[in-house]
Amino acid sequence: MHKYILTRQLKLRKINLEDLKLIVDWGNSKVANGEYLSLEMYNLATCEAKFKNAYFWNDKAKTFLIELKANSQVIGSINYWTKVEEQNVARMAIKIALPEYRQKGLGLEVQVGLINELFIKHNYDFVEMLTDINNIPQQKCLKKMNFTNLSLQEYDDQGVRRQGYVFRVDMQKFKRSLAYTYYYGVDI
């Protein structure tokens, strides 16, 4: 996969060493994490060790920063990893860390861009997301991309016990979604 992905308004780019302070700041900020994500409680030394050990960028997982093309402002992050128990499934997570950019369609745009890349360049059979049971905006977003709600699941989020829905989509359903058609202009 390339070190960056371009969408209409956004650039998804690989995390650099200079970005780690921002990752730490966001990981420890209630504002950046919003009400549906738990604090990651990173410190710079831990983040640097993860960076050096290819935690953020390896064959099975990649983390991108989400940057506005217009002014290069970093507004969040999106990552994916291959599920250990199902090598044909990628699971994603997104964080729009700056509240003023939430619920403006940018989360949908970045997800459409990454999902398309995962299906086309990596040949995953399915993409999944786990979203907090109360995260209605993300659930609406997933439905716009033709994700199906598979199950309700309890999960551990940084030591906080949560309930959430597991959503899944395959390439054909995704490419028939209005979100895909809007960004790519074709239905395959």
Side-chain angles (χ1 to χ4, degrees), residues 54-73:
Y55 173 84
F56 296 111
W57 197 271
N58 58 63
D59 290 342
K60 300 289 183 183
K62 293 189 179 8
T63 301
F64 295 88
L65 288 180
I66 305 165
E67 204 175 87
L68 296 173
K69 282 164 77 176
N71 62 10
S72 299
Q73 169 144 15

Side-chain angles (χ1 to χ4, degrees), residues 38-114:
S38 298
L39 297 179
E40 295 164 314
M41 303 309 290
Y42 282 149
N43 63 50
L44 195 53
T46 301
C47 238
E48 287 172 347
K50 287 181 176 213
F51 185 83
K52 289 176 184 168
N53 290 321
Y55 173 84
F56 296 111
W57 197 271
N58 58 63
D59 290 342
K60 300 289 183 183
K62 293 189 179 8
T63 301
F64 295 88
L65 288 180
I66 305 165
E67 204 175 87
L68 296 173
K69 282 164 77 176
N71 62 10
S72 299
Q73 169 144 15
V74 179
I75 64 167
S77 63
I78 189 167
N79 62 307
Y80 80 89
W81 61 96
T82 303
K83 287 183 68 178
V84 174
E85 64 278 11
E86 295 178 275
Q87 294 291 305
N88 63 333
V89 179
R91 185 161 281 184
M92 292 183 5
I94 183 171
K95 177 192 300 185
I96 302 297
L98 303 180
E100 62 270 27
Y101 292 103
R102 293 180 188 144
Q103 297 189 15
K104 302 218 182 284
L106 297 172
L108 176 63
E109 181 176 333
V110 72
Q111 290 174 91
V112 168
L114 180 56

Side-chain angles (χ1 to χ4, degrees), residues 20 24-25 36 51 57 93-94 111 121 136 175 182 184:
L20 296 183
V24 170
D25 290 347
Y36 307 115
F51 185 83
W57 197 271
I94 183 171
Q111 290 174 91
K121 301 253 167 84
I136 304 304
K175 289 199 170 189
Y182 177 77
Y184 291 99

